[in-house]
């Protein structure tokens, strides 16, 4: 058995035994769907780092620039389809009593693959929220006719309905995520660089309470040393191998 096969067998055994699994995903799971990640060469948009654009300050300083970035992301996601990684996670719901899927992604691909009750920590790319009256518009227009887009109700400028650096994540989402981690036996962390809080600490929370943590990521991450099984492969290739469908719900 190669080292990789051995790790996959270990992960399969952990998943097979578990009745309650938490999954945390980041941009890496959508990379094989052609959605650019945030960090690394390909993720950069016109040499800006996400921390320079995904903030309220950047938006109010130059709303058009920030919208150009989101328009570019919307365009990149528009024709994207879920990949075998998304589908494997959705299918897992049929074999494990309780699955909680927490994602930092705003692309909607987990839901498109069939996952239910996805906890979206960072919002949704297809919603525009009015900066004045708070009206939320679901919009799939790409590219947007006007940047920044205007509110249909009051005429003020809209912003992407996403969570930016320095903004609060919905407490209900955080609570639900932490509660799920407390109750699970196995946590799977897939395709996240592990540098943005609070998601970055969720694996540590799981370890503090002795859960088995499995990481799947192409590259090294800051907390990998603390995890039980670390698989450095593409999620679209590995996830379908981890779940054997001979397990049925009792
Ligand atoms: P990043 O772009 O920071 O990290 C993507 C991770 O996926 C990296 O660690 C890659 O090694 C890994 N990766 C790439 N392709 C992969 C593949 N095919 N299979 C497995 N792993 C792969 O994305 P996130 O961690 O999601 O927030 O970033 C977190 C947050 O930072 C985002 O939600 C966004 C960003 O700024 C906001 O905009 C508020
Ligand atoms: Zn409005």
């Amino acid at each position: 058995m190669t080292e990789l096969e051995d790790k996959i067998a270990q992960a399969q055994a952990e998943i097979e035994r578990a009745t309650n699994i938490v999954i945390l995903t980041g941009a890496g799971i959508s990379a094989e769907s052609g959605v650019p990640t945030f960090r690394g060469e390909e993720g950069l948009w016109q040499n800006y780092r996400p921390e320079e654009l995904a903030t309220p300050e950047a938006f109010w300083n130059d709303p058009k620039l920030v919208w150009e970035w989101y328009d570019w992301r919307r365009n990149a996601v528009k024709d994207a389809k879920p990949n075998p990684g998304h589908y494997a996670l959705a299918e897992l719901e049929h074999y494990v009593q309780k699955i909680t899927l927490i994602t930092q992604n705003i692309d909607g691909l987990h839901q498109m693959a069939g996952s239910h009750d996805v906890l979206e920590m960072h919002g949704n790319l297809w919603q525009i929220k009015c900066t004045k009256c708070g009206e939320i518009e679901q919009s799939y227009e790409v590219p947007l006719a006007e940047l920044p887009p205007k509110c249909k109700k009051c005429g003020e400028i809209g912003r992407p309905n996403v969570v930016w650096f320095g903004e609060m994540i919905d407490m209900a989402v955080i609570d639900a995520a932490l509660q799920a981690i407390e109750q699970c036996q196995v946590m799977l962390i897939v395709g996240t660089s592990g540098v943005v809080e609070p998601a970055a600490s969720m694996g540590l929370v799981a370890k503090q309470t002795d859960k088995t943590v499995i990481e799947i990521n192409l590259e090294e991450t800051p907390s990998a040393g603390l995890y039980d099984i670390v698989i450095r492969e593409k999620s679209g290739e590995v996830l379908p191998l981890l779940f054997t469908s001979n397990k049925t719900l009792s």
Side-chain angles (χ1 to χ4, degrees):
M1 220 188 231
T2 64
E3 199 190 331
L4 175 62
E5 284 168 345
D6 187 42
K7 282 182 183 176
I8 288 177
Q10 283 176 37
Q12 279 173 340
E14 292 290 346
I15 290 163
E16 184 86 4
R17 265 200 299 274
T19 54
N20 190 331
I21 298 180
V22 169
I23 303 155
L24 170 68
T25 65
I29 192 157
S30 296
E32 288 156 85
S33 295
V35 180
T37 58
F38 291 92
R39 293 172 182 80
E41 282 304 305
E42 283 174 24
L44 293 178
W45 176 75
Q46 298 187 7
N47 294 324
Y48 289 98
R49 296 183 312 125
E51 291 82 355
E52 293 174 277
L53 293 170
T55 70
E57 291 77 20
F59 180 75
W60 289 113
N61 184 36
D62 193 345
K64 189 156 185 277
L65 173 76
V66 171
W67 261 115
E68 278 168 359
W69 182 46
Y70 279 95
D71 211 31
W72 173 77
R73 293 196 68 80
R74 286 162 65 100
N75 188 49
V77 171
K78 168 181 66 124
D79 297 321
K81 300 275 178 300
N83 66 57
H86 295 106
Y87 285 118
L89 294 181
E91 204 182 330
L92 197 59
E93 289 181 11
H94 300 295
Y95 304 110
V96 181
Q97 252 160 36
K98 176 110 178 92
I99 294 283
T100 305
L101 179 51
I102 309 162
T103 189
Q104 297 166 87
N105 299 346
I106 56 178
D107 57 28
L109 291 179
H110 284 303
Q111 292 91 331
M112 208 187 280
S115 284
H116 296 95
D117 302 327
V118 180
L119 291 174
E120 288 185 311
M121 285 179 58
H122 290 168
N124 191 295
L125 192 55
W126 301 112
Q127 291 176 355
I128 301 172
K129 186 176 179 185
C130 176
T131 55
K132 187 163 180 233
C133 75
E135 177 82 359
I136 292 175
E137 185 197 341
Q138 194 82 24
S139 158
Y140 297 96
E141 185 186 13
V142 177
L144 285 159
E146 189 186 13
L147 295 179
K150 301 269 169 20
C151 174
K152 290 209 166 61
K153 214 167 145 194
C154 78
E156 266 305 319
I157 66 172
R159 56 167 284 174
N161 192 22
V162 299
V163 181
W164 282 327
F165 290 99
E167 293 185 321
M168 292 281 288
I169 294 175
D170 185 352
M171 266 323 279
V173 172
I174 303 280
D175 274 354
L178 293 176
Q179 209 174 0
I181 292 169
E182 196 182 305
Q183 290 166 357
C184 77
Q185 293 114 22
V186 172
M187 181 171 184
L188 266 174
I189 302 181
V190 186
T192 175
S193 54
V195 296
V196 175
E197 296 293 354
S201 294
M202 288 184 174
L204 308 184
V205 172
K207 277 322 300 169
Q208 271 162 5
T209 45
D210 282 338
K211 316 299 187 190
T212 300
V213 178
I214 304 169
E215 180 184 69
I216 297 162
N217 193 311
L218 271 181
E219 292 165 16
E220 199 52 46
T221 63
S223 305
L226 300 169
Y227 300 152
D228 301 276
I229 305 170
V230 175
I231 301 177
R232 295 265 166 266
E233 296 288 327
K234 290 186 173 175
S235 49
E237 292 173 9
V238 164
L239 287 173
L241 303 177
L242 290 190
F243 314 134
T244 47
S245 47
N246 55 9
K247 184 175 165 183
T248 44
L249 278 180
S250 47

